[in-house]
Amino acid sequence: GTLALISPKATPTQGDLVNQKPVGSGPFVVTEYAQKDHITIARNPRYTRRAPWSDHQGPPYLDRIVFKIIPEAGTRVTTIESGETQMISALNAPAAVLRRLESNTSLRVERNPYPGAPRIWLLNVTVPPTNDLKVRQALNYGVNRPAFVESVYKGLGQTACAPLTQHMLADPSLCQAYPYDPSKAAQLLDEAGWKMGPNNLRTKDGRPLVITINSINYGAGNLPEIELLQGQLLQLGIDARIKSQARPPWYEDNYHCATSGPVMFLRDTDWNGLYALFDSATVHTNFNWSCYANPEVDRLIAQGREEFDPAKRRAIYLKIERILVDQAVTVPLIDEYSVWVLRGNVKGTTYNYSAYPVLNDVSIEK
């Protein structure tokens, strides 16, 4: 995201109100904040800059913008179709609904790839059974990534290959590492000592092969990819259990390396996002929830942060990615798109480097 200037005079006196009515320097001013309902921003008449991405100097074209907080995708879609709203996020919109919206001539759909890490399953390398490389490799061969795109994320993303999205750092070797191959997954689990039992569950020394997925629940249940993942693991003979919990305990389990790992994403516009995810300094904090520590990766991350030459820097981070893929530290699932649906009379939308909409130049035709 963007770090905006805030008022050194007003901010220290605001206390908690700084999160509801920040005093900043941007093109809009926050005029109203109604928790869990809406946020209203108004045109800042004193704004005189021309932002690098803007088509004009001075204040925005729109007098006022209201962000309505509508968590449920179906309700959001209804508002754009009826004209109650002029722009919505297509987050969690079913594929069939998105196709319907794209066929509506009064609407248009805009897509941009998110930077950073994909929707990814971080595998805890410190606790059984995911501390076993063969088990982690089996999970990578046994998870059907294209099925996620075809069902849950159709029109909202593409198959992921590595800990950074293909938009960030594309290389054919990363996508060729783990083709979907359930037979290979079964072979690796057999080699690791997890044999298929009569009840279609694998066991070793009398113990079932149990994997616990840490699932964040915002109040509407598990995200759809979690249950799809669980179903695919069950087909491999794995007793996949979902630990569904609210944000605070979900974070605590991640900090304490208490499960087989969470499914998450990380927005970052630089390859150095790998530091937060895999440097040993970020275990027990944000966001090394694979609990992974590798001195060679630490060294390369430090080298990448100090290198200025773009080609050399790319080579360093590609080497890190290859190590992480070889060691099967994660199961990358989906490279997500930032998808927005707009009424046809909304003009001038642009998107920043984080794929979020920039509204300085937006206007509405009458």
Side-chain angles (χ1 to χ4, degrees), residues 149 153 156-160 166-167 333-337:
V149 176
Y153 281 88
L156 298 172
Q158 64 177 357
T159 302
Q166 296 181 65
H167 171 68
L333 299 173
I334 308 105
D335 288 351
E336 294 179 82
Y337 303 144

Side-chain angles (χ1 to χ4, degrees), residues 196-203:
M196 187 68 80
N199 57 353
N200 204 40
L201 286 177
R202 293 179 177 273
T203 61

Side-chain angles (χ1 to χ4, degrees), residues 112-123:
N112 292 280
Y114 277 121
R119 186 73 58 165
I120 191 169
W121 184 17
L122 301 180
L123 299 177

Side-chain angles (χ1 to χ4, degrees), residues 163-164 270-283 288 292-308 312-313 315-321 323-324:
L164 291 176
D270 189 89
W271 298 321
N272 187 53
L274 294 177
Y275 168 80
L277 288 167
F278 302 109
D279 194 281
S280 62
T282 61
V283 177
N288 187 345
Y292 176 76
N294 182 335
E296 174 66 3
V297 167
D298 288 354
R299 184 188 68 79
L300 287 167
I301 288 174
Q303 184 180 343
R305 300 177 91 180
E306 295 170 357
E307 180 59 63
F308 287 95
K312 292 179 180 177
R313 196 164 183 262
I316 292 167
Y317 283 102
L318 182 56
K319 186 174 183 180
I320 296 170
E321 288 233 279
I323 293 172
L324 296 169

Side-chain angles (χ1 to χ4, degrees), residues 124-141:
N124 184 348
V125 301
T126 66
V127 297
T130 48
N131 62 341
D132 187 327
L133 174 61
K134 287 185 182 292
V135 171
R136 297 198 303 273
Q137 290 174 330
L139 295 175
N140 272 276
Y141 281 113

